[in-house]
């Protein structure tokens, strides 16, 4: 079972990233649950695998247009697919770094893996549920999805 | 040690061959030296023998020169006489040295030691030459001793010339024979030397070839044995499931290791790598350091291996490996270390790595299963009193509630108002769920639902809600789902699920929890209440959703009636009422295709005064407005959210969400709800619902 504090660390990671890029507030929506056989995802997804005290994965998923907007906001004019993927990976990496600094080295986190669409059964055990935390930035919706078992 | 160091063993043959080769070479070399010296001596001899020929001619020439000089001048030329003397002396000395051995003057005037000639031909020539020279030399030396100008000199010259004529040529011939004989001796020695060299070198070559072939054969045999051994080792290393490798004292990993090793520890190309570096990527720095210290101990011959076995820091260790997909993978490995000896020396430490993940997982599963069984037994005690069919029904409805609550959370919302509204909606769902749980006396669910309600109430008091404030609720919801799943598993295990499938709940049976609920709420409130139901069992054949909704509504209405309507016994007795309160539930199908449900209690009735105060306190309406309201308008307030007639909040009532939920359900079915009440006598709710379409068709 996930603890509220653990979930908050991952949410804070993403919020911090957006705050760092753009001070115009990013809003966190109300978290809800999804069964892993119907994972929630937008166009691009950056996954980090987690082992140690908690096992599973955490991913940041967003529509392509949000990521492109974010790139432009950062001063990057080229919003090609490669840059979109890199940025999503970077966000996942920031989340991972934030988690590592909170939980210490025992919380082992993988390098980010970027996918199009939703992660499949390689990453999400079908018997578990995931927490979906919607993230609202400007007019876009994205989400942090956390699927960890203790 | 000494004997083992000089134990030549299989190399004996090769060593003998090599020794023989050296001996042969040395012998040939020595003979070569010896014969070479002899040939050098013979060359001197041949040279001096040749000089004897020249001297014999020079002597004869000097004699003829003296004769000529004497004829011309009547006297001998002293130089010619001197030349005759020195030539004869040199001839004489050399001849003697040849015959008896001794010192002679060399070609360059040096002193040369000559051995007495032993060769038959040469000796024969020397003897004959010496005989002739004997007379000849006397006449020469006599002449040489003659004073210049002496008349006797002519006589001596005549004698010498006479001897010269008779001996010169034979002596020349004999000296020539002698020279040839010496040459033959030298040639013969040179031939012998050549022969010795040829034979010696041939033998050496043969010996060398023998060594070469012997070596090659031995090397091939050794290589074949080594190859076979290596193949066997490789085969073993490719087959074993364990990771096997050797570590040297400097902690470097050996060249050969088992194929499984790379997979087990997830590191490639280990040959020559430091054990410390490999471990650093797998285990904590402290564990890696301790392991290297442990390995160092194993290399210390003074330390007993058996005594330090317990110090192995990697007996069972959790490692994180990178999966091919890039995800980290947790594995449990067991490392064991043992000494590898070469004689009495600790040459290496053999490390064996086993993947014990499966074993560890099985142990964990076993422990979890034990814990789960223990929990399930605990749960079971709280479930045994519940009819299995109703329990199954409850579990099914619980998931529906959870789904609804989750859907409430799922709706996109950013404003505080929208989030407050979400809390209200979630509260209604939880409240209804709690009613269901209470009706079955499922205390664990009731307690959880109450805690959920409390959490929602806590959040509602918050002025500025944000999405992550809901996190605790989502975690709670997750926990409740998990708990319900455990109960469901338990029910399945008890084969209750199967029983429920086979035998649908009897109509009468499924309404029984209402009695339980009334008892439970009455007991909580310190009241005595009797429930009287009629017509419910005749509602058979209606859709499950309808029945489930009706049940939830009835639970809410009954809870309200008992908590708000029926007075405590003492109060009732004071009002001359029966000590035990009564709540009636009547259900009836009305001609024209509708269903009517009546819930009536014989309690204190609606307290319109309290409702008026609640309305004013809510500040939704002005005081003038509220003052002008009729009883019917005031009664309708109980369907407003957050308006409760209870004085205090309790587990059974006071949240102000129950009646709005009932209204919501009635409205969703396009039905009507009517409230009537007389203070001190009764409160009555009449719900009219259109009969569900399927039922009407069937009718």
């Amino acid at each position: 079972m996930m603890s509220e504090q653990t979930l908050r660390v991952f949410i804070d990671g993403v919020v911090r990233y957006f705050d760092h890029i753009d001070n115009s507030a990013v809003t966190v929506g109300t978290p809800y649950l999804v069964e892993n056989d119907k994972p929630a995802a937008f166009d691009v997804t950056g996954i980090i695998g987690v082992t140690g005290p908690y096992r599973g994965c955490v991913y940041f998923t967003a529509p392509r247009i949000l990521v492109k907007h974010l790139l432009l906001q950062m001063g990057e004019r080229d919003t090609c697919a490669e840059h979109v993927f890199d940025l999503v990976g970077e966000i996942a990496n920031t989340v991972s770094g934030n988690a590592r600094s909170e939980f210490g080295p025992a919380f082992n986190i993988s390098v980010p893996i970027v996918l199009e669409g939703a992660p499949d059964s390689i990453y999400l055990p079908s018997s578990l549920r995931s927490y979906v935390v919607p993230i609202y930035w400007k007019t876009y919706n994205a989400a942090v999805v956390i699927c960890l078992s203790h | 040690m000494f004997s083992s160091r000089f134990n030549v063993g299989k190399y004996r043959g090769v060593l003998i061959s090599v020794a023989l080769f050296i001996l042969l070479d040395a012998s040939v070399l020595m003979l070569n030296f010896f014969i070479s010296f002899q040939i050098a001596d013979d060359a001197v001899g041949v040279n001096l023998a040749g000089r004897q020929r020249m001297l014999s001619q020079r002597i004869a020439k000097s004699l003829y020169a003296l004769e000529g000089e004497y004829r011309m001048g009547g006297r001998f030329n002293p130089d010619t006489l001197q030349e005759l003397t020195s030539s004869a002396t040199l001839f004489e000395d050399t001849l003697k040295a040849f015959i008896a051995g001794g010192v002679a003057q060399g070609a360059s005037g040096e002193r040369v030691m000559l051995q007495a000639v032993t060769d038959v031909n040469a000796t024969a020539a020397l003897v004959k030459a010496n005989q002739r020279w004997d007379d000849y030399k006397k006449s020469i030396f006599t002449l040489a001793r003659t004073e210049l100008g002496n008349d006797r000199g002519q006589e001596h010259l005549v004698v010498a010339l006479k001897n010269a004529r008779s001996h010169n040529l034979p002596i020349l011939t004999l000296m020539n024979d002698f020279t040839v004989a010496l040459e033959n001796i030298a040639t013969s020695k040179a031939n012998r030397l050549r022969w010795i060299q040829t034979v010696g070198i041939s033998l050496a070559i043969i010996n060398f070839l023998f060594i070469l072939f012997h070596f090659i054969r031995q090397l091939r045999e050794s290589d074949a044995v080594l190859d076979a051994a290596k193949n066997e080792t490789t085969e073993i290393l490719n087959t074993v499931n364990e990771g096997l490798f050797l570590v040297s004292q400097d902690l470097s990993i050996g060249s050969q290791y088992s194929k499984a090793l790379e997979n087990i520890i997830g590191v490639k190309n280990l040959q020559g790598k430091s054990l410390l570096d490999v471990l650093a990527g797998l285990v904590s720095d402290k564990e890696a350091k301790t392991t290297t210290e442990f390995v160092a101990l194993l290399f210390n011959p003074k330390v007993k291996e058996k005594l330090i076995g317990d110090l192995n820091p990697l007996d069972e260790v959790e490692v994180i490996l990178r999966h091919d997909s890039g995800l980290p993978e947790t594995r449990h490995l067991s490392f064991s270390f043992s000494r590898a000896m070469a004689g009495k020396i600790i040459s290496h430490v053999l490390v064996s790595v086993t993947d014990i993940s499966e074993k560890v997982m099985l142990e964990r599963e076993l422990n979890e299963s034990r814990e789960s069984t223990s929990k399930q037994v605990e749960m079971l005690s709280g479930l045994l009193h519940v009819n299995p069919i109703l329990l199954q029904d409850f579990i099914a409805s619980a998931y529906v509630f959870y789904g609804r609550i989750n859907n409430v959370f799922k709706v996109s919302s950013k404003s505080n108002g929208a989030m407050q509204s979400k809390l209200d909606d979630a509260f209604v769902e939880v409240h209804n769920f709690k009613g269901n749980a209470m009706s079955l006396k499922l205390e664990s669910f009731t307690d959880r639902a109450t805690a959920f309600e409390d959490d929602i109430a806590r959040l509602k008091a918050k002025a500025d809600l944000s999405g992550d404030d809901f996190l605790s609720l989502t975690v709670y919801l997750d926990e409740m789902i998990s708990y319900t799943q455990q109960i469901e598993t338990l029910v399945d295990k008890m084969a209750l699920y199967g029983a429920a499938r086979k035998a649908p709940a009897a109509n009468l049976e499924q309404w029984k929890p209402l009695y339980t609920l009334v008892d439970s709420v009455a007991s909580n409130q310190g009241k005595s209440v009797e429930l009287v139901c009629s017509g419910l069992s005749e509602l058979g054949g209606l859709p499950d959703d309808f029945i489930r909704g009706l049940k939830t509504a009835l639970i809410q209405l009954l809870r309200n009636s008992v908590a708000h309507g029926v007075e405590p016994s003492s109060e009732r007795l004071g009002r001359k009422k029966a000590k035990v309160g009564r709540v009636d539930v009547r259900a009836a199908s009305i001609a024209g295709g509708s269903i009517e449900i009546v819930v009536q209690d014989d309690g204190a009735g609606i307290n319109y005064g309290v409702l008026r105060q609640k309305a004013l306190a809510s500040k939704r309406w002005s005081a003038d407005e509220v003052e002008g309201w009729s009883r019917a308008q005031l009664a309708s307030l109980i369907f407003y959210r957050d308006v409760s007639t209870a004085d205090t909040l309790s587990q059974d009532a006071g949240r102000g969400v129950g009646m709005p939920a009932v209204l919501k359900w009635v409205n969703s079915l396009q039905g009507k709800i009517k409230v009537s009440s007389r203070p001190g006598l009764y409160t009555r709710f009449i719900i009219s619902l259109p009969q569900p379409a399927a039922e009407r068709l069937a009718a």
Side-chain angles (χ1 to χ4, degrees):
Chain A
M1 198 62 64
M2 292 293 302
S3 82
E4 190 186 332
Q5 287 74 17
T6 308
L7 292 164
R8 208 173 284 282
V9 167
F10 291 106
I11 299 165
D12 288 351
V14 175
V15 170
R16 261 185 227 172
Y17 189 87
F18 276 87
D19 280 347
H20 172 69
I21 300 294
D22 174 22
N23 283 330
S24 68
V26 59
T27 314
V28 177
T30 52
Y32 59 93
L33 303 168
V34 288
E35 296 295 330
N36 279 355
D37 52 0
K38 296 167 199 147
F42 293 99
D43 302 340
V44 274
T45 299
I47 310 168
I48 50 169
V50 178
T51 53
Y54 288 98
R55 283 164 203 189
C57 76
V58 175
Y59 62 91
F60 170 75
T61 180
R64 209 177 295 271
I65 185 74
L66 179 150
V67 189
K68 286 186 176 180
H69 196 141
L70 208 53
L71 278 168
L72 292 171
Q73 186 89 23
M74 292 163 70
E76 173 60 64
R77 298 211 169 273
D78 186 356
T79 58
C80 64
E82 193 185 341
H83 286 176
V84 166
F85 269 50
D86 285 351
L87 186 58
V88 170
E90 192 185 316
I91 295 172
N93 206 21
T94 306
V95 176
S96 136
N98 194 52
R100 197 178 284 116
S101 64
E102 286 286 332
F103 300 122
F107 207 95
N108 200 291
I109 288 170
S110 76
V111 289
I113 298 154
V114 183
L115 299 175
E116 282 188 276
D120 56 19
S121 57
I122 297 174
Y123 307 97
L124 297 170
S126 59
S127 58
L128 290 180
R129 288 176 294 281
S130 296
Y131 286 77
V132 181
V133 185
I135 301 288
Y136 307 120
W137 180 69
K138 296 191 185 291
T139 56
Y140 311 109
N141 294 0
V144 184
V145 183
I146 304 153
C147 174
L148 296 175
S149 63
H150 203 2
Chain B
M1 186 186 287
F2 183 84
S3 61
S4 67
R5 188 173 290 178
F6 290 94
N7 182 10
V8 292
K10 60 184 177 180
Y11 300 111
R12 185 189 297 275
V14 174
L15 284 176
I16 290 171
S17 302
V18 170
L20 199 63
F21 178 77
I22 292 167
L23 188 68
L24 264 171
D25 280 357
S27 305
V28 169
L29 192 65
M30 282 172 68
L31 278 170
N32 198 27
F33 265 102
F34 179 69
I35 296 171
S36 297
F37 281 124
Q38 279 193 339
I39 290 172
D41 287 347
D42 288 349
V44 172
V46 169
N47 191 22
L48 293 186
R51 192 180 66 183
Q52 291 293 79
R53 287 187 303 192
M54 181 272 288
L55 287 173
S56 67
Q57 295 313 299
R58 193 190 282 175
I59 291 167
K61 183 186 151 212
S62 298
L63 286 173
Y64 286 113
L66 285 173
E67 183 189 21
E69 284 164 3
Y70 192 80
R71 258 186 218 157
M72 293 289 290
R75 59 186 301 267
F76 298 134
N77 185 337
D79 292 340
T80 310
L81 201 59
Q82 179 58 37
E83 189 185 340
L84 173 68
T85 309
S86 63
S87 296
T89 307
L90 192 56
F91 186 90
E92 165 68 9
D93 292 345
T94 306
L95 189 64
K96 279 184 179 165
F98 274 129
I99 293 167
V103 178
Q105 190 183 359
S108 311
E110 80 281 10
R111 288 167 62 81
V112 178
M113 184 67 194
L114 293 176
Q115 298 294 324
V117 175
T118 52
D119 180 72
V120 179
N121 295 331
T123 308
L126 273 183
V127 170
K128 284 179 187 169
N130 193 38
Q131 285 169 356
R132 285 188 177 268
W133 172 248
D134 224 20
D135 292 340
Y136 189 24
K137 77 177 177 191
K138 286 176 187 164
S139 59
I140 290 170
F141 288 123
T142 306
L143 175 65
R145 280 192 298 271
T146 304
E147 290 179 23
L148 294 174
N150 190 336
D151 289 339
R152 296 253 326 156
Q154 190 184 2
E155 290 172 22
H156 296 318
L157 179 62
V158 171
V159 175
L161 279 171
K162 184 183 165 201
N163 281 336
R165 277 184 211 102
S166 60
H167 294 305
N168 180 41
L169 201 56
I171 286 174
L172 179 64
T173 307
L174 287 168
M175 281 298 106
N176 193 48
D177 291 347
F178 175 64
T179 306
V180 171
L182 286 186
E183 275 175 357
N184 285 341
I185 291 167
T187 306
S188 151
K189 282 183 182 170
N191 284 338
R192 196 185 316 150
L193 181 61
R194 204 173 297 124
W195 183 82
I196 287 168
Q197 282 177 335
T198 306
V199 171
I201 296 297
S202 300
L203 284 174
I205 289 171
I206 291 166
N207 195 13
F208 174 75
L209 289 174
F210 171 76
I211 295 168
L212 195 66
F213 287 123
H214 188 73
F215 253 130
I216 287 172
R217 199 182 72 236
Q218 272 201 345
L219 282 172
R220 275 185 181 167
E221 282 170 5
S222 300
D223 286 351
V225 171
L226 278 175
D227 282 347
K230 194 181 171 187
N231 286 342
E232 277 179 24
T233 313
T234 308
E235 208 170 313
I236 291 168
L237 291 177
N238 285 344
T239 312
V240 290
N241 294 324
E242 288 177 319
L244 291 175
F245 62 96
L246 289 168
V247 177
S248 58
Q249 196 154 12
D250 65 353
L251 291 180
S252 64
I253 294 172
S255 61
Q256 278 193 292
Y257 51 83
S258 66
K259 196 178 177 183
L261 180 64
E262 288 185 349
N263 277 337
I264 292 175
I265 65 170
V267 183
K268 307 275 179 203
N269 302 324
L270 290 155
Q271 181 181 353
K273 280 188 181 168
S274 164
L275 178 65
L276 185 61
D277 293 343
V278 172
L279 288 177
L282 290 174
V283 297
S284 70
D285 291 349
K286 193 182 166 193
E287 280 172 324
K289 192 167 172 281
T290 315
T291 308
T292 54
E293 286 167 359
F294 176 67
V295 172
L297 274 181
L298 284 170
F299 274 107
N300 184 348
K302 290 179 186 168
V303 177
K304 297 271 181 204
E305 188 175 3
K306 280 182 186 170
L307 294 180
I308 58 164
D310 291 343
L311 301 179
N312 177 6
L314 302 181
D315 190 31
E316 184 178 320
V317 65
E318 186 178 283
V319 299
I320 311 292
L321 304 181
R322 296 285 165 211
H323 196 264
D324 290 343
S325 64
L327 291 174
E329 185 185 357
T330 305
R331 279 195 197 167
H332 291 85
L333 305 181
S334 171
F335 286 72
S336 70
F337 301 85
S338 52
R339 283 171 174 164
M341 308 294 289
K344 290 181 181 175
I345 308 278
I346 303 164
S347 65
H348 291 92
V349 164
L350 174 69
V351 187
S352 135
V353 194
T354 319
D355 189 341
I356 53 164
S357 308
E358 213 166 306
K359 180 186 146 218
V360 172
M361 290 310 289
L362 281 173
E363 278 172 3
R364 273 192 192 165
E365 277 172 22
L366 192 64
N367 286 336
E368 278 169 14
S369 167
R370 275 187 198 138
E371 275 176 32
S372 164
T373 308
S374 160
K375 267 188 199 167
Q376 284 178 347
V377 169
E378 210 177 296
M379 284 176 189
L380 192 61
S381 61
L383 298 174
L384 279 175
H385 66 280
V386 185
N387 179 306
I389 297 157
L390 296 178
L391 188 58
Q392 164 62 23
D393 195 39
F394 171 78
I395 289 169
S397 67
Y399 287 131
V400 174
F401 280 119
Y402 300 149
R404 281 192 200 147
I405 296 167
N406 196 40
N407 283 339
V408 168
F409 291 162
K410 199 172 179 177
V411 173
S412 171
S413 55
K414 297 172 193 174
S415 69
N416 187 50
M419 292 201 196
Q420 287 286 353
S421 172
K422 275 188 174 189
L423 287 177
D424 292 338
D425 292 343
F427 195 94
V428 171
E429 298 297 348
V430 176
H431 197 65
N432 286 336
F433 169 70
K434 187 170 88 173
N436 271 359
M438 282 176 74
S439 73
L440 291 172
K441 277 194 163 178
L442 291 169
E443 284 173 10
S444 57
F445 282 99
T446 310
D447 293 347
R448 281 177 165 79
T450 306
F452 204 146
E453 282 180 340
D454 291 345
D455 215 15
I456 294 177
R458 179 181 62 79
L459 287 182
K460 268 194 78 70
K462 222 179 156 190
D464 191 15
L465 279 176
S466 73
D468 53 355
D469 287 328
F470 281 69
L471 208 50
S472 61
L473 297 181
T474 319
V475 171
Y476 215 96
L477 178 64
D478 190 22
E479 196 270 331
M480 283 173 81
I481 295 172
S482 295
Y483 180 74
T484 310
Q485 284 172 334
Q486 287 177 44
I487 298 283
E488 190 182 21
T489 309
L490 185 60
V491 171
D492 282 348
K493 271 188 188 166
M494 300 295 289
L496 300 180
Y497 181 72
R501 285 251 163 160
K502 284 172 195 161
N507 277 335
L508 197 60
E509 187 72 21
Q510 69 178 339
W511 300 108
K512 269 192 179 171
L514 298 181
Y515 295 90
T516 314
L517 175 82
V518 168
D519 284 349
S520 171
V521 177
S523 164
N524 287 346
Q525 301 281 328
K527 297 174 181 177
S528 296
V529 185
E530 182 189 14
L531 173 66
V532 179
C533 294
S534 62
L536 286 174
S537 57
E538 274 120 58
L539 293 178
L542 292 173
D544 285 350
D545 279 356
F546 182 87
I547 296 294
R548 200 175 287 131
L550 175 59
K551 206 185 283 177
T552 305
L554 284 176
I555 287 169
Q556 189 52 52
L557 288 166
L558 287 174
R559 197 156 55 173
N560 251 22
S561 292
V562 178
H564 302 324
V566 178
E567 315 91 327
S569 297
S570 55
E571 208 174 302
R572 289 180 66 83
L573 289 173
R575 287 181 182 172
K576 302 206 165 97
K577 286 182 176 179
K579 189 181 169 186
V580 177
R582 174 172 166 155
V583 183
D584 282 88
V585 175
R586 294 190 296 273
S589 292
I590 308 293
S594 65
I595 295 168
E596 189 177 85
I597 316 287
V598 178
V599 177
Q600 181 175 338
D601 65 69
D602 65 346
I606 293 170
N607 189 333
Y608 296 103
V610 171
L611 281 173
R612 200 184 298 276
Q613 281 169 13
K614 294 263 180 189
L616 288 170
S618 74
K619 294 182 181 170
R620 289 190 202 173
W621 304 278
S622 68
D624 291 345
E625 229 178 329
V626 173
E627 282 305 318
W629 280 356
S630 66
R631 283 188 168 188
Q633 278 176 304
L634 284 170
S636 69
L637 276 178
I638 61 175
F639 294 108
Y640 276 90
R641 186 166 275 175
D642 304 332
V643 177
S644 170
T645 55
D647 295 333
T648 53
L649 189 142
S650 75
Q651 182 179 315
D652 308 307
R655 306 277 191 179
V657 297
M659 296 312 289
V662 174
L663 180 66
K664 194 177 169 189
W665 175 69
V666 171
N667 286 340
S668 72
L669 296 175
Q670 295 173 325
K672 285 178 187 169
I673 185 163
K674 194 176 159 190
V675 191
S676 56
S677 173
R678 280 190 69 183
L681 289 178
Y682 70 90
T683 304
R684 183 164 56 222
F685 293 89
I686 302 171
I687 298 170
S688 302
L689 299 167
Q691 208 162 35
E695 176 60 19
R696 275 208 302 274
L697 284 173

